[in-house]
Amino acid sequence: ALFVREPDNSLSLWIDIGNPAADRVGRAARAVRDVRIYTHKDPEALRRQIARASIRRAPEIDLCSFPPDFLDAVGEDLGRKESWDLVHTEGALFISTPRGSFEGQLTRQPLG
């Protein structure tokens, strides 16, 4: 997970990538005011898991997902020790690598 810590040492943002366990999301929701999850897996599976755990702030948590074909194409282009340019604008994600460019839609919706 990634965190943003404020000058008063409180956490203002928690970002997790993947499909975090419901108890982990619940702890983050209690401790941090802004929680976001970026998943490369089935977002509905994560929704069902969170619903069973009855996380009170679930509707306030952003769940962002990527189309599988976009991730597959980017994954095939991965190289070691290279720089990428990444632009996110109005739901579209643009990635430029030394070998090509990719575009995909980032779907963002409440978790609960």
Side-chain angles (χ1 to χ4, degrees):
L2 305 170
F3 300 92
V4 173
R5 193 170 295 278
E6 297 299 321
D8 67 357
N9 213 27
S10 67
L11 296 174
S12 61
L13 175 63
W14 178 81
I15 298 173
D16 207 327
I17 299 172
N19 264 18
D23 62 331
R24 181 179 169 112
V25 175
R27 283 192 308 272
R30 287 187 301 275
V32 183
R33 89 185 118 186
D34 190 7
V35 177
R36 297 183 195 160
I37 300 169
Y38 290 83
T39 187
H40 59 285
K41 298 184 179 183
D42 178 16
E44 291 308 313
L46 183 58
R47 271 204 172 89
R48 287 189 299 272
Q49 177 187 12
I50 298 299
R52 284 191 301 268
S54 299
I55 295 173
R56 186 178 58 213
R57 290 189 52 224
E60 300 170 32
I61 297 172
D62 282 334
L63 175 61
C64 304
S65 59
F66 304 92
D69 57 337
F70 170 72
L71 293 177
D72 291 342
V74 172
E76 289 175 10
D77 190 67
L78 287 175
R80 297 191 77 175
K81 297 185 180 184
E82 65 185 21
S83 296
W84 290 5
D85 293 321
L86 179 97
V87 176
H88 176 240
T89 180
E90 296 186 22
L93 189 64
F94 302 93
I95 297 176
S96 296
T97 72
R99 291 172 299 286
S101 298
F102 306 91
E103 178 181 348
Q105 285 299 118
L106 178 65
T107 305
R108 189 176 187 174
Q109 49 198 282
L111 182 58

